[in-house]
Structure formats: structure tokens, C-alpha cells
Amino acid sequence: MVGPYRGLFDGPGVKGFVLAGFVGRMPMSMLGIGIVLLISGLTESYATAGAVAATTNLSFAVAAPMSGRLVDRFGQTRIIVPLASLNALALAALMLSAGLRLPEWTLYAAALLVGATSLSLGSMVRARWSALHGGSPRLHTAFAFESVVDEVIFVTGPALVTVLATEINPYAGLTVALVCMLGGSLALAGQRGTQPPVQAVRGGGGTPILIPGVALLACVYLGLGAVFGSVDLITVAFAEEHGVKGAAGFLLAAFAGGSMVSGLWFGSRHWRISLRGRFLRALAVFVAGLTPLTFIGAPWVMAGFLFLAGLAISPTLITGFSLTERLVPPSLLTEGMAWISTSIGFGVALGAWAGGRLTEAVGASHAYLFALAAAFLAALVGAAGSGLLRLPEAASPAER
């Protein structure tokens, strides 16, 4: 499993951008649950907490392709620095509004700005890998590694923010997220040697979302984002219903842990099945893995089944980003990958809102049915439109 990853980090500056990207992306697993813990603790309403978290994700979803386009046009450094600085100020304003018990609209205003200025650092790091290994089998391994990094973040982040918020101070988790975002982002911006060169845009550029295959992937990831957003919120409520609210982060870490393990395995293999085939199989496994969750009533049993459900996450993300990299012109690559992130963001916003409403209406265990339905719909859309994901004849059989 380790062999294919050897030598991946030997190039000049590679270790630096990998480390900076890791630290800067930590908030992506901390922000949602940190907001839920803070707002639900202050208002005693999961609906309000879910709505504020959804506002952040929805705002990010709208803004991410725009910031991605700016990065493609002007380079990463010139865009990261101002947006990271504004994002830090916006998150501080959100915490201040909550702490001073300001009117509820101030929470939504601050959350809107937090999302709008959030950076899609995962897209930028993957764009750097693509500039290094584009057209090489090593890019599959690099994307697999990045998915593993994402899952390490989702294993450690929720547990960290939960412990900080519940055992130290309600604001401690979001404060650490702010420091990680600002430090990692500025460190990545300072590494100019590995950032992709700005390429001339041909024919006015257009937008990657108009490419049929990318549009299909966006629809699929909308459904998967709804799974992620709802599972995050429902799992926090599930833990509280069973008297172990402090264990919510560890339950979510189990979900991400399954993805981390499968990502290491998936990236170490040389596949004969096409990218399209791998993508569709991963979606089907995801549906199967989520099915048992509505029947479980014990937190530690739930942790085991969340781990199993998470096994399909990394393969789905790895193949989705690989398909996007092959479908999108190099001059629009960051924006193209940002559209995947933005679709997940829209889905997370929908999932957080629906998860909060359903949890209050029918309880956490039954609310998991929403996550299952969202995964099933994503798999159905992917299968129905799979012909749009066929790669050009120039691609190798394992890619087509």
C-alpha cells in the first residue's frame, strides 16, 4: 500500500505546499461542527445552528467558482492573501456576535461573509499536483493522497473542535480553526515556485460548468454534499440524545476514518476498471453503507457502522476529481475543481438545514433516512448520465 507513494514528495517545494495545504484546510472539518456547537449551546436550537452553518456553506458554494476563476486568471498568491485576511475578520465577527448576544441577523450576516471569503485550498493544492504530474499515472496517486489528507482532517478536526468547545471554551474550537486557516493559507501563498503558471484563456474562456460531464459531476456531488451536511448535524444530535454529546466528534471521526483507510488502499492500486466505472461503483457502495444507520441505537455500534459507510467516500472523491482534471482545459482547472467544491457546499447547506429540521421533528435516528435518500439520488443521477463521463479516445482504456 505504501509503495506507490514513495518519491511522491521528492520534488522541490512539494513538501512545503502539502504541509501548508493541510494546515490551511483544517477549518473545513472544524467550521460546521464548531458553529453548530456554539450556536446550539447559546440558543438551544439545532434549527438555528443548522441554518447558520448552512448559510456559511451556501455562501462558500456561490463564491468558490468566482475565486477559482480569479486564481486561474491572476495566480494563487494574489488571491489568497486578501481573501484569507477577510475570512479571519469575518469569523472573528461571527464569534463576537454570538458572544455579545447581538440580534440573530448578525449571525447570518457574519456567516455569509465567512463563506464568501473561504478559500478552496484543496482545489489549489490539486492544481499544483496537476501542474507537476498532469498526464502521468502519478497524478492518480497524488489525488489519492490529497483525499487521504482530507480524511485525516475530517478524522482529527471534528474531534478536536468538539473537545475544545465542550471541555475548554465554546469559542476555542473556532479560534483554532481561524489560526489554522490564516497560517496555512498565507504559507501556501508564499510558495510561488510550485503554483501553476497563469495560462492564456482561449476563446473567451467560458465556464467549466457548461461542460456536460462537469455539470453531471456537480449534480452528483450536490447529493453527496447533502449526505455530509446532514450526517454532521444529525450525528451531533444523535450523541446528545444518548447522553454522550462530547463523543460526537469521535463518531464523525469514525465516518472520516473509513474514508481515510479506503483512500490509502485505493490510491495504491493500478486500476484496469475505467475512471467512470470506479466512480459508479463507489456511489453504489456509499448507498449500501448508509442503509443500516437508521436501525442503530447505541453510540459505539454507530461508530463502527459510520466507519463502514465512510469507506466509499475517498474513492468517490478521487475518481470525481480525476474525471474533472481530464474534462476541463488547463486554463480553467482551478475553477473546474472549485465547481466540485461548490456543489458539495450547496449540498452541505441543504443537508445541514434538512438535518436540523428532521432531527427536531422525528429524532436523530430517523433523520438519517435523509442522508440515505440523498446518496441514492446521487447514485441514480450518476448512473443515468454516465455516458457524459466518457473521456476522449486519446485517454488510456483504464481512464475511459
Side-chain angles (χ1 to χ4, degrees):
M1 192 182 292
V2 175
Y5 295 95
R6 291 195 183 104
L8 191 62
F9 314 102
D10 290 344
V14 172
K15 294 184 181 72
F17 80 71
V18 166
L19 181 60
F22 171 76
V23 174
R25 276 142 69 191
M26 279 297 294
M28 73 182 185
S29 70
M30 301 173 70
L31 194 59
I33 190 171
I35 290 174
V36 167
L37 289 168
L38 178 63
I39 303 302
S40 65
L42 294 176
T43 66
E44 299 183 351
S45 170
Y46 278 104
T48 300
V52 174
T55 299
T56 300
N57 286 296
L58 188 60
S59 178
F60 169 74
V62 172
M66 299 182 222
S67 61
R69 175 166 287 244
L70 290 173
V71 167
D72 285 330
R73 293 291 177 88
F74 300 106
Q76 293 186 6
T77 298
R78 292 176 64 184
I79 303 303
I80 289 175
V81 174
L83 284 184
S85 302
L86 286 172
N87 187 254
L89 292 173
L91 186 53
L94 176 61
M95 290 188 284
L96 189 63
S97 298
L100 295 177
R101 305 296 198 275
L102 296 181
E104 188 172 306
W105 68 264
T106 62
L107 296 174
Y108 293 103
L112 190 70
L113 188 57
V114 168
T117 55
S118 291
L119 290 159
S120 184
L121 289 187
S123 298
M124 297 185 200
V125 171
R126 286 178 172 89
R128 292 187 185 224
W129 280 120
S130 187
L132 287 173
H133 298 303
S136 162
R138 303 214 74 180
L139 188 61
H140 166 75
T141 306
F143 279 2
F145 171 77
E146 286 304 318
S147 288
V148 171
V149 169
D150 285 342
E151 300 315 326
V152 169
I153 290 170
F154 277 101
V155 167
T156 58
L160 176 61
V161 75
T162 302
V163 169
L164 290 172
T166 59
E167 303 297 332
I168 298 178
N169 184 283
Y171 307 95
L174 290 179
T175 300
V176 171
L178 187 157
V179 172
C180 288
M181 181 282 302
L182 190 60
S185 297
L186 295 181
L188 185 65
Q191 299 177 52
R192 298 171 182 265
T194 55
Q195 70 173 335
V198 177
Q199 300 191 31
V201 179
R202 299 177 180 176
T207 176
I209 197 61
L210 297 181
I211 299 171
V214 176
L216 177 72
L217 289 170
C219 292
V220 171
Y221 280 108
L222 178 68
L224 295 183
V227 175
F228 302 148
S230 59
V231 167
D232 276 0
L233 190 138
I234 294 166
T235 301
V236 172
F238 177 87
E240 185 174 21
E241 283 182 4
H242 291 81
V244 287
K245 185 175 182 179
F250 296 98
L251 290 174
L252 293 174
F255 191 46
S259 181
M260 180 178 67
V261 170
S262 67
L264 282 170
W265 171 78
F266 191 80
S268 69
R269 295 199 60 188
H270 295 289
W271 294 90
R272 294 183 178 180
I273 304 171
S274 69
L275 271 173
R276 185 170 61 100
R278 281 174 263 163
F279 183 67
L280 295 177
R281 284 168 173 78
L283 289 173
V285 172
F286 203 15
V287 174
L290 289 168
T291 301
L293 299 186
T294 58
F295 303 104
I296 298 169
W300 305 118
V301 176
M302 178 64 80
F305 277 92
L306 282 170
F307 178 88
L308 293 175
L311 290 173
I313 296 175
S314 273
T316 307
L317 294 176
I318 293 165
T319 49
F321 278 113
S322 296
L323 285 165
T324 303
E325 192 269 342
R326 296 306 306 270
L327 291 167
V328 174
S331 61
L332 300 173
L333 183 57
T334 307
E335 184 187 351
M337 291 190 177
W339 274 109
I340 301 301
S341 298
T342 208
S343 300
I344 294 173
F346 273 119
V348 168
L350 172 64
W353 173 81
R357 299 292 177 183
L358 288 171
T359 295
E360 292 192 347
V362 300
S365 292
H366 293 304
Y368 278 117
L369 280 170
F370 174 83
L372 175 60
F376 178 78
L377 185 60
L380 186 64
V381 170
S386 62
L388 299 175
L389 300 178
R390 291 186 184 276
L391 296 178
E393 290 299 322
S396 67
E399 291 178 322
R400 292 198 301 270

